[in-house]
Amino acid sequence: MTDVNGAQPYRNRRQVLYWRLLSRLFDHEEQPALESASVAAVDDLGLPPALLAPALSVDNLVQRFPELADAFQDLTDRAERPEGVAGAEEDPPEQARRAALVSKLLLNVFATGGGPVTAEQLADWQRDAGWCRRAMGTEAARSWPARWPASRASWSPACGCVRCSPTRRSPAG
């Protein structure tokens, strides 16, 4: 396959970021080669290496780097463009940037680890889930956070599954 306009390095960066995402979702152990390659990739893309910090919430990241707020919000805008509309085809650097941003959101929401959870960790997770919902363009996020009470006891996610909802009981329990 020929490299059109130098796109191959950006495809490689995007692939490294997605491999890191998969690795972190299924195993919380860091893979040194993937971590160092990911740091190099985000650095080459002009993104802060803090984007890769697993313990850093999206809110904290956006406080440190305010320009990322628009980048996270723009994830849906780009995905909703129909073919044939100007800007519908993203250039390879933009695709790699989106891979880094999407990875951060997905890891913060779905790779949370195990064990006891503090109220602060839960609040961070709820805010990260809100960022993810807004970035993915779900209807529930359109009125975030007004529709979701701050209290976990009264909070019920749209899915209503046993794992997510504290008010539901499993069939066995």
Side-chain angles (χ1 to χ4, degrees):
M1 184 160 137
T2 56
D3 184 12
V4 179
N5 300 328
Q8 193 59 43
Y10 292 103
R11 286 189 193 111
N12 292 345
R13 289 178 184 104
R14 187 179 70 201
Q15 187 175 28
V16 162
L17 292 165
Y18 284 143
W19 277 112
R20 178 184 179 270
L21 170 64
L22 288 172
S23 170
R24 286 304 199 106
L25 283 174
F26 294 108
D27 186 7
H28 297 291
E29 300 269 337
E30 282 189 9
Q31 302 299 317
L34 283 175
E35 294 299 322
S36 62
S38 295
V39 169
V42 296
D43 191 44
D44 289 346
L45 294 167
L47 294 169
L51 186 69
L52 301 174
L56 188 62
S57 74
V58 177
D59 273 352
N60 287 336
L61 186 66
V62 168
Q63 284 178 345
R64 292 183 192 178
F65 306 96
E67 67 278 6
L68 290 179
D70 289 337
F72 280 115
Q73 297 289 27
D74 198 31
L75 291 174
T76 300
D77 293 343
R78 295 221 189 279
E80 291 176 350
R81 290 183 186 150
E83 287 187 43
V85 172
E89 281 297 316
E90 286 183 319
D91 59 327
E94 187 60 30
Q95 289 176 349
R97 285 177 58 85
R98 282 176 45 96
L101 296 168
V102 167
S103 293
K104 175 64 176 172
L105 290 172
L106 293 177
L107 285 174
N108 277 29
V109 173
F110 295 109
T112 57
V117 177
T118 66
E120 183 179 350
Q121 289 170 322
L122 176 62
D124 283 344
W125 179 86
Q126 287 175 329
R127 286 189 298 272
D128 286 347
W131 278 100
C132 189
R133 284 175 178 251
R134 286 190 303 273
M136 301 307 167
T138 63
E139 283 300 315
R142 302 234 189 275
S143 61
W144 178 276
R147 286 183 50 195
W148 291 32
S151 167
R152 176 67 169 121
S154 62
W155 176 74
S156 181
C159 69
C161 74
V162 173
R163 180 172 178 236
C164 298
S165 178
T167 59
R168 294 191 43 129
R169 302 277 184 244
S170 67

